[in-house]
Amino acid sequence: MELGKLDRSVYLASYFNDELLRRRVNTQLNRQEARHTLARKIFHGQKGELRQKYKEGQEDQLGALGLMTNVCILWNTVYTARALEQIRAEGKKIATADIARLPPLGFEWLNFLGRYDFSLPETVREGNFRPLRIPGQH
């Protein structure tokens, strides 16, 4: 137990001395909080509370939440990559540092409420992506 305290003390000393380490830890904490924010947005029903009485039911709910969170992240990643490809195809330069700051955890453009239509459009059924939206066009 004392050895664990020593390890923690060494880590804290290096944390306070190393600005780069503090920035990396803060970046990771921000990413983790952004993922939790997305999960809370997805899990809006029942006020975000697990309502299953049994551990297996709770695990099912959490598994479904994890799956849907990952689906949103994948959707954002795929369509962000497509948008970047289109910008490059137009001959515009994109800084690598700017791309690194693009978060896959955004959700402002995702519809969490309402009715869902799970029928696939013909374009998607053929294995293609849906077209990208052009800003300013509806």
Side-chain angles (χ1 to χ4, degrees), residues 107-134:
F107 55 82
E108 294 81 16
W109 45 87
L110 299 174
N111 179 17
F112 296 103
L113 302 172
R115 296 179 184 261
Y116 298 97
D117 180 10
F118 291 100
S119 61
L120 293 177
E122 189 65 33
T123 308
V124 176
R125 204 174 306 128
E126 293 172 354
N128 299 315
F129 292 103
R130 71 173 183 84
L132 295 173
R133 283 185 274 164
I134 308 297

Side-chain angles (χ1 to χ4, degrees), residues 53-123:
K53 295 180 182 179
Y54 300 100
K55 181 179 175 184
E56 293 80 16
Q58 292 175 356
E59 289 171 348
D60 290 345
Q61 275 188 300
L62 290 173
L65 175 61
L67 175 66
M68 291 310 301
T69 303
N70 289 338
V71 165
C72 291
I73 292 168
L74 178 62
W75 175 272
N76 289 337
T77 302
V78 167
Y79 279 94
T80 298
R82 289 195 60 233
L84 291 171
E85 289 170 12
Q86 182 173 330
I87 291 169
R88 286 188 184 115
E90 294 170 357
K92 298 176 184 170
K93 302 271 184 197
I94 306 170
T96 305
D98 292 337
I99 294 171
R101 289 187 189 96
L102 291 173
L105 296 163
F107 55 82
E108 294 81 16
W109 45 87
L110 299 174
N111 179 17
F112 296 103
L113 302 172
R115 296 179 184 261
Y116 298 97
D117 180 10
F118 291 100
S119 61
L120 293 177
E122 189 65 33
T123 308

Side-chain angles (χ1 to χ4, degrees), residues 1-13:
M1 202 163 138
E2 296 300 319
L3 188 58
K5 289 180 184 178
L6 181 62
D7 284 341
R8 182 162 175 81
S9 297
V10 170
Y11 170 75
L12 288 173

